[in-house]
Amino acid sequence: MKKRIVDLVSYLPHFLAEYKETNAALTAENPEFQITWDAAKRVLYNEFIETADEYGISRFEKLLKIFPTKDDTLESRRSRVRIRWFAFLPYTWRVFIEKLITLCGENNFTATKKFDYYQIDLEVNLELFGQVEELERIIETIIPCNMIVTANNKILCPASGFALIAGGAFATEFYIITDEGTSNYISSETSYHGGGVVYTESITIIDNFS
């Protein structure tokens, strides 16, 4: 709601607005008239569901015997009041679709009727708190008991931008070959010689994927 700023001096003719005494007197009265105007505007806005504030919605809820929860927001309460307020007979397919439009919006649901199989398939996009419960109440109130209703609620989360994914694999090998039997020795006695090869392999794998 756009707030209106009260300026009583602006209503005076130009020749009177020039007098400081009159100007000061009306300027001092501006706050009182501002309070009066805001109160009158609040009464007007609370006559309609779409513009009612917390107090106005609570009055509608009292008339409809609706008891909001602590998790309800003003918009979820407004949506519930709107559904209950426009309840009317007879309960036909057209009325059912109109109620879905009121709850979900014009293009935020798909209703597929399969009357030959006594079945109705619904796909809705409900995000506000309490809307799913209100949909259940509509189905229980309007749809006959011999009909099967399958309802699927999808909350869309559109996103834009880039998603970068990277990965890496590292393999490292160390080979150490030593020959410690290459020394020459002069011996006048019987001697025994031996040789050896030492093989070492070290493999390190690091996985940084999360």
Side-chain angles (χ1 to χ4, degrees), residues 43-139:
V43 171
L44 175 64
Y45 276 60
N46 281 336
E47 292 182 3
F48 306 96
I49 298 173
E50 295 301 321
T51 55
D53 57 14
E54 295 273 353
Y55 173 77
I57 286 295
S58 68
R59 301 297 296 175
F60 282 104
E61 289 172 335
K62 185 175 181 181
L63 291 173
L64 298 170
K65 295 180 173 55
I66 297 175
F67 303 97
T69 66
K70 63 179 182 179
D71 296 320
D72 269 313
T73 63
L74 178 59
E75 288 304 317
S76 65
R77 294 169 63 186
R78 194 191 311 278
S79 176
R80 188 180 298 112
V81 168
R82 190 189 303 117
I83 290 295
R84 303 282 183 92
W85 191 264
F86 295 104
F88 51 87
L89 296 173
Y91 290 150
T92 62
W93 177 258
R94 181 180 61 82
V95 173
F96 180 60
I97 295 299
E98 289 179 356
K99 285 185 173 295
L100 291 179
I101 292 175
T102 304
L103 177 64
C104 307
E106 186 71 34
N107 300 313
N108 290 330
F109 71 92
T110 302
T112 305
K113 51 185 178 181
K114 301 177 180 178
F115 292 158
D116 292 339
Y117 301 97
Y118 294 91
Q119 182 175 338
I120 297 174
D121 295 335
L122 289 178
E123 184 173 302
V124 297
N125 308 124
L126 301 177
E127 298 181 6
L128 295 178
F129 180 82
Q131 283 187 317
V132 173
E133 289 76 9
E134 194 62 27
L135 176 63
E136 293 175 353
R137 193 195 69 83
I138 294 174
I139 294 173

Side-chain angles (χ1 to χ4, degrees), residues 144-165:
C145 293
N146 64 337
M147 298 287 293
I148 298 174
V149 179
T150 60
N152 184 22
N153 184 33
K154 291 184 178 181
I155 299 178
L156 303 179
C157 300
S160 61
F162 297 95
L164 304 178
I165 301 175

Side-chain angles (χ1 to χ4, degrees), residues 150-188:
T150 60
N152 184 22
N153 184 33
K154 291 184 178 181
I155 299 178
L156 303 179
C157 300
S160 61
F162 297 95
L164 304 178
I165 301 175
F170 301 90
T172 304
E173 294 184 355
F174 298 92
Y175 297 94
I176 302 176
I177 301 176
T178 62
D179 182 5
E180 298 178 353
T182 59
S183 300
N184 295 323
Y185 296 93
I186 298 174
S187 176
S188 60

Side-chain angles (χ1 to χ4, degrees), residues 5-73:
I5 305 300
V6 176
D7 183 13
L8 297 179
V9 178
S10 63
Y11 292 94
L12 290 176
H14 292 294
F15 71 93
L16 288 179
E18 297 176 356
Y19 292 95
K20 294 182 178 180
E21 295 82 359
T22 306
N23 196 312
L26 293 179
T27 301
E29 294 176 358
N30 281 341
E32 302 301 324
F33 277 85
Q34 185 72 56
I35 294 173
T36 304
W37 172 258
D38 291 342
K41 185 173 65 173
R42 185 184 185 191
V43 171
L44 175 64
Y45 276 60
N46 281 336
E47 292 182 3
F48 306 96
I49 298 173
E50 295 301 321
T51 55
D53 57 14
E54 295 273 353
Y55 173 77
I57 286 295
S58 68
R59 301 297 296 175
F60 282 104
E61 289 172 335
K62 185 175 181 181
L63 291 173
L64 298 170
K65 295 180 173 55
I66 297 175
F67 303 97
T69 66
K70 63 179 182 179
D71 296 320
D72 269 313
T73 63

